[in-house]
Amino acid sequence: MKVFCGRANPTTGSVEWLEEDENYDYHQEIARSCYADMLHDKDRNVKYYQGIRAAVSRVKGRGEKAIVLDIGTGTGLLSMMAVTAGADFCYAIEVFTPMAIAAVKIVEKNGFSGKIKVINKHSTEVTVGPDGDMQCHANILITELFDTELIGEGALPSYEHAHKYLVQEGCEAVPHRARVYAQLVESKRMWSWNKLFPIHVQAEDDEKIIVFPSEIENCPGVPSVYDIQLNQVPRSDFTILSDVVTMFSVDFSKQVNSSSTYYTANLEPIKSGMAQVILSWWDVDMDPSGMIKCTMAPYWVQPTSNDVQWRDHWMQCVYFLPNEEPVLQGENVYLTAYRDEYSVWYKLQKARNEEDKKDAYVGSPLCSCQAHLLWNRPRFGELNDQNRTNQYIQALMTVLEKDSICLCISDGSLLPLLAHYLGAEQIFKANHVGDKIKIIEKRPELLTASDLEDKKVSVLIGEPFFTTSLLPWHNLYFLYARTAVAAHLSDGVTVLPQSASLYMMVVEFKDFWRIRSPCGTCEGFDVHIMDDMIKNSLNFRESKEAEPHPLWEYPCKSLSDPQEVMKFDFRLTVPQQTLSTDGSVNLLRTGKSHGAVLWMEYHLTADISVSTGLVQISDEKGNCKWNPHCKQAVYFFSSALEPETPTDLPSAITYAINFNPKTGEIAMSFKSLS
């Protein structure tokens, strides 16, 4: 059965109705799931197994039957561990129906059907009693309900309900407890993800500085955590201002209260500086004694860098203080963590008197300037990148005249400001600012001559950047917008950027390949059924598509040189025919070809270009440096992700790439050559 789905095409800008299989959403959710990543997390799996064995042993040691409740069972892995450890029976709860069906099959294949009951419900809907889902209350509670922020997936209300209705008082819990840690830092790079910095515009011998309204400067931003691979941020990018402090802990073996609350810790800065950012992570004790510990601590906190387990399902948290605040070494300051059921936010206070103590719970910050609602964190970083801005300034200086009539097509762009400061006569912007900058709140195809005061545009500019873009080539919407406004452009119009190139490069990932790699067996349990389910959903569509990822967080090695595979000329309108290209790239380094990375490079002028992907191949080994403000497109080669791959490594990769101008989509295929 087919269904019609409406969507806004990010490249063409049109609204389309597409005929999709009725199971499209189901396949997409499975294909993009993190189940394989979790099962490849050896540290997580081993620690859970150790904790489960210890919990079952303690219950058996008291002469009791071990009855397990496993909330969020996924593949059923933790329940199978429990039965293997000696549990008498397990109730395994999984709300996601496709995963619950797979768990039933996996449990059966591994021979545990008689001791594990999979319940396809949310845990808050589970009943206990002779006619209920569970015959009796459990005395061991096992869960894996955590995200990078610990509580973002609803762990607290789930635990609260389980202790009230599903488990015995004084039950064993795996994990037994969790602790959330915080560290105060100063970081220009991280602060640039949250606030706009002044922009320096060097025009001839005169430097001008663009500053932003106080509403933006004083805005507390948005409360949502920025979860990143903090292990990829070099120590030179931040200054540690405090020791690590424990902000709060949760004992999962006792009744949990999910109500909003706050926790305050006394900090004594170890260095003077500007307090801007809170770095945070958590760990869990799998047993009451704390001997079995699983930690998300970043590299500078761990004893040696070899102790850092790579994982993508749990990372580290970056929180921005509402405003930066100077702190002095040795002075007392108070850091408060506020939380509701699903999120955490922070506030720093210099002193704490009686009045401060009465100021108990503070609600989450709300953006009042709109900028934090328009731009995400990487976009803030991009706008604050002075080197990138300088490239646009240099390009604009070469194309602008005193009487230039500019039209800017980009979302939330600062290019009109730069053009204004560089002396353009009038700037029209399809979205702010000043007498000479007019905002036209229309789609490009609806633009009229009167909107432009009957003037012809002499310079069309764009970064291009559009908030609807996910993949690098989605910003080709600029080409479609340029075509839509063609009637309003002068005969000799200058277009900036004048063209764009699509580049590709074959890479070997250090760890990132794990998110798409089959698991096979996990701690001795056969999970091939899950592998097949994910592979089937990937083959439904996703295995033939590239997916967006910020590769600065995921180290990789280039196996080929970067290669230009397609070019788009913005001085012309959208082509009528499909653009096709094919060829091959030679592999210059030994390694496993996990996939191809693709990105766009915008040629602002003949000799000034801005890359959204590769910044440089940093050394002879092929280690790459990527644009930290953009997501690159990754096309995984399925053959290279199998646990057992051929010993003969390919010598080249062939490719075929097609751009369909009607849909704006780029289709691609790759093949290895021995």
Side-chain angles (χ1 to χ4, degrees):
M1 179 177 169
K2 299 288 186 179
V3 294
F4 282 99
C5 300
R7 71 152 190 172
N9 187 310
T11 310
T12 65
S14 61
V15 176
E16 304 171 336
W17 286 94
L18 302 177
E19 191 180 54
E20 297 281 11
D21 188 281
E22 63 177 338
N23 294 319
Y24 172 68
D25 287 342
Y26 151 81
H27 285 297
Q28 193 172 48
E29 186 163 356
I30 292 174
R32 298 294 189 221
S33 69
C34 290
Y35 292 114
D37 175 36
M38 288 187 283
L39 295 181
H40 280 296
D41 188 341
K42 181 73 175 174
D43 179 64
R44 164 195 178 270
N45 301 334
V46 168
K47 301 291 175 56
Y48 260 103
Y49 212 166
Q50 291 173 347
I52 289 169
R53 286 195 192 101
V56 172
S57 178
R58 288 193 299 274
V59 171
K60 292 286 191 178
R62 297 195 292 265
E64 302 173 21
K65 280 190 172 183
I67 307 299
V68 173
L69 172 62
D70 175 10
I71 301 179
T73 193
T75 59
L77 175 68
L78 303 184
S79 288
M80 293 189 293
M81 287 179 176
V83 172
T84 304
D88 294 281
F89 199 81
C90 289
Y91 295 101
I93 300 174
E94 177 56 52
V95 70
F96 184 40
T97 299
M99 203 66 238
I101 294 171
V104 170
K105 295 177 181 177
I106 291 170
V107 165
E108 182 179 359
K109 185 170 185 179
N110 285 275
F112 296 110
S113 292
K115 288 198 171 186
I116 298 175
K117 178 183 179 182
V118 178
I119 303 169
N120 182 203
K121 286 185 177 182
H122 193 283
S123 63
T124 57
E125 299 171 345
V126 171
T127 57
V128 181
D131 299 321
D133 301 305
M134 299 170 60
Q135 293 296 297
C136 61
H137 291 82
N139 54 9
I140 300 177
L141 175 58
I142 301 173
T143 65
E144 211 283 49
L145 300 171
F146 314 121
D147 67 348
T148 294
E149 203 172 16
L150 184 71
I151 65 173
E153 290 185 0
L156 296 181
S158 294
Y159 271 110
E160 185 174 38
H161 178 272
H163 276 288
K164 282 182 180 178
Y165 302 108
L166 305 178
V167 299
Q168 298 175 15
E169 186 176 354
C171 73
E172 299 289 342
V174 183
H176 181 81
R177 74 176 65 85
R179 282 174 295 265
V180 172
Y181 300 93
Q183 190 167 36
L184 185 64
V185 304
E186 174 182 352
S187 173
K188 183 178 180 181
R189 179 185 179 187
M190 295 184 203
W191 196 237
S192 77
W193 298 335
N194 185 56
K195 298 285 185 179
L196 282 178
F197 298 165
I199 296 175
H200 296 261
V201 182
Q202 188 72 45
E204 298 175 351
D205 297 330
D206 181 28
E207 184 183 68
K208 298 175 181 177
I209 300 177
I210 301 174
V211 294
F212 297 95
S214 58
E215 293 90 336
I216 294 179
E217 178 63 29
N218 298 326
C219 178
V222 289
S224 56
V225 64
Y226 190 22
D227 52 336
I228 63 171
Q229 293 282 0
L230 209 47
N231 290 315
Q232 297 308 315
V233 178
R235 276 288 287 107
S236 56
D237 279 1
F238 60 97
T239 301
I240 292 174
L241 301 181
S242 79
D243 291 328
V244 177
V245 294
T246 303
M247 290 309 302
F248 63 92
S249 62
V250 185
D251 187 334
F252 297 127
S253 69
K254 299 176 182 177
Q255 180 60 56
V256 172
N257 188 343
S258 65
S259 300
S260 299
T261 188
Y262 68 100
Y263 315 87
T264 297
N266 177 226
L267 290 184
E268 192 173 288
I270 58 175
K271 190 170 185 177
S272 298
M274 195 65 76
Q276 298 169 323
V277 171
I278 304 297
L279 304 181
S280 179
W281 57 91
W282 52 265
D283 65 21
V284 288
D285 293 334
M286 295 294 181
D287 64 325
S289 67
M291 297 297 291
I292 308 169
K293 192 183 298 291
C294 185
T295 181
M296 307 308 119
Y299 65 90
W300 66 88
V301 179
Q302 305 240 25
T304 69
S305 58
N306 294 331
D307 295 332
V308 179
Q309 164 75 41
W310 185 88
R311 44 173 70 95
D312 203 47
H313 57 108
W314 297 328
M315 295 184 279
Q316 294 80 33
C317 303
V318 176
Y319 296 96
F320 305 99
L321 291 172
N323 292 101
E324 58 184 355
E325 183 111 20
V327 294
L328 298 175
Q329 181 178 345
E331 76 171 336
N332 273 334
V333 294
Y334 297 90
L335 181 65
T336 302
Y338 302 90
R339 71 152 180 82
D340 55 23
E341 287 185 336
Y342 301 99
S343 59
V344 180
W345 57 98
Y346 286 86
K347 181 180 178 182
L348 189 71
Q349 292 172 283
K350 284 292 189 71
R352 192 163 168 78
N353 53 37
E354 291 304 312
E355 287 302 313
D356 292 325
K357 291 177 183 176
K358 291 176 185 176
D359 183 19
Y361 182 78
V362 176
S364 62
L366 296 174
C367 172
S368 56
C369 72
Q370 307 302 310
H372 298 89
L373 305 179
L374 173 65
W375 299 319
N376 60 18
R377 272 61 181 265
R379 177 59 171 167
F380 266 91
E382 186 171 59
L383 293 174
N384 283 320
D385 187 337
Q386 186 68 51
N387 290 331
R388 175 181 180 273
T389 299
N390 288 341
Q391 289 181 285
Y392 282 93
I393 291 172
Q394 291 301 314
L396 285 169
M397 288 174 66
T398 65
V399 302
L400 289 177
E401 304 289 343
K402 291 293 183 183
D403 59 351
S404 292
I405 305 298
C406 298
L407 174 63
C408 176
I409 302 177
S410 272
D411 286 347
S413 178
L414 302 180
L415 287 186
L417 280 173
L418 299 180
H420 169 64
Y421 276 92
L422 292 170
E425 172 64 25
Q426 193 161 6
I427 302 103
F428 296 98
K429 187 172 186 294
N431 291 311
H432 191 69
V433 213
D435 318 353
K436 291 196 172 184
I437 301 179
K438 177 182 178 181
I439 307 166
I440 305 171
E441 297 186 38
K442 284 187 176 182
R443 292 177 55 82
E445 63 270 20
L446 300 178
L447 210 61
T448 65
S450 61
D451 293 325
L452 301 173
E453 300 173 9
D454 295 319
K455 297 177 180 177
K456 290 287 187 179
V457 173
S458 59
V459 181
L460 178 66
I461 58 177
E463 298 184 39
F465 171 85
F466 302 99
T467 55
T468 52
S469 298
L470 295 174
L471 291 163
W473 47 86
H474 286 168
N475 284 322
L476 287 175
Y477 174 63
F478 182 75
L479 178 59
Y480 290 82
R482 176 257 181 272
T483 302
V485 301
H488 305 292
L489 307 180
S490 64
D491 291 340
V493 66
T494 299
V495 183
L496 184 155
Q498 61 182 27
S499 62
S501 297
L502 177 65
Y503 278 85
M504 66 154 284
M505 185 171 72
V506 179
V507 302
E508 176 185 50
F509 287 108
K510 182 181 177 183
D511 295 295
F512 193 47
W513 58 273
R514 300 177 196 274
I515 72 166
R516 291 287 172 265
S517 178
C519 191
T521 59
C522 182
E523 300 306 309
F525 302 100
D526 187 340
V527 293
H528 279 94
I529 289 170
M530 185 209 67
D531 292 337
D532 294 341
M533 179 181 72
I534 293 176
K535 186 176 181 180
N536 179 51
S537 289
L538 283 168
N539 289 339
F540 186 78
R541 178 177 297 174
E542 267 71 10
S543 65
K544 307 176 188 68
E545 294 180 343
E547 51 193 76
H549 293 288
L551 291 189
W552 73 268
E553 296 185 58
Y554 305 105
C556 63
K557 178 176 78 172
S558 66
L559 300 184
S560 73
D561 283 335
Q563 185 157 322
E564 183 185 55
V565 292
M566 196 168 280
K567 195 157 188 175
F568 304 88
D569 193 337
F570 295 149
R571 293 166 296 190
L572 305 175
T573 55
V574 174
Q576 297 299 305
Q577 305 299 321
T578 297
L579 300 183
S580 299
T581 182
D582 55 59
S584 65
V585 289
N586 294 322
L587 301 184
L588 309 176
R589 298 179 181 87
T590 302
K592 207 166 186 180
S593 303
H594 287 134
V597 178
L598 300 98
W599 66 93
M600 300 296 289
E601 188 165 304
Y602 295 104
H603 309 295
L604 307 184
T605 62
D607 53 3
I608 302 175
S609 297
V610 174
S611 173
T612 66
L614 192 67
V615 176
Q616 66 182 65
I617 299 176
S618 57
D619 56 32
E620 294 178 0
K621 295 180 180 179
N623 295 317
C624 305
K625 184 176 180 182
W626 299 97
N627 184 322
H629 314 307
C630 305
K631 289 184 178 181
Q632 291 73 42
V634 180
Y635 187 105
F636 286 106
F637 301 155
S638 57
S639 59
L641 300 176
E642 299 291 338
E644 298 164 4
T645 52
T647 52
D648 293 335
L649 294 172
S651 60
I653 300 289
T654 63
Y655 62 87
I657 299 175
N658 298 298
F659 170 71
N660 183 339
K662 291 182 180 178
T663 64
E665 293 180 353
I666 291 182
M668 59 194 74
S669 61
F670 299 89
K671 187 178 179 182
S672 300
L673 289 181
S674 299

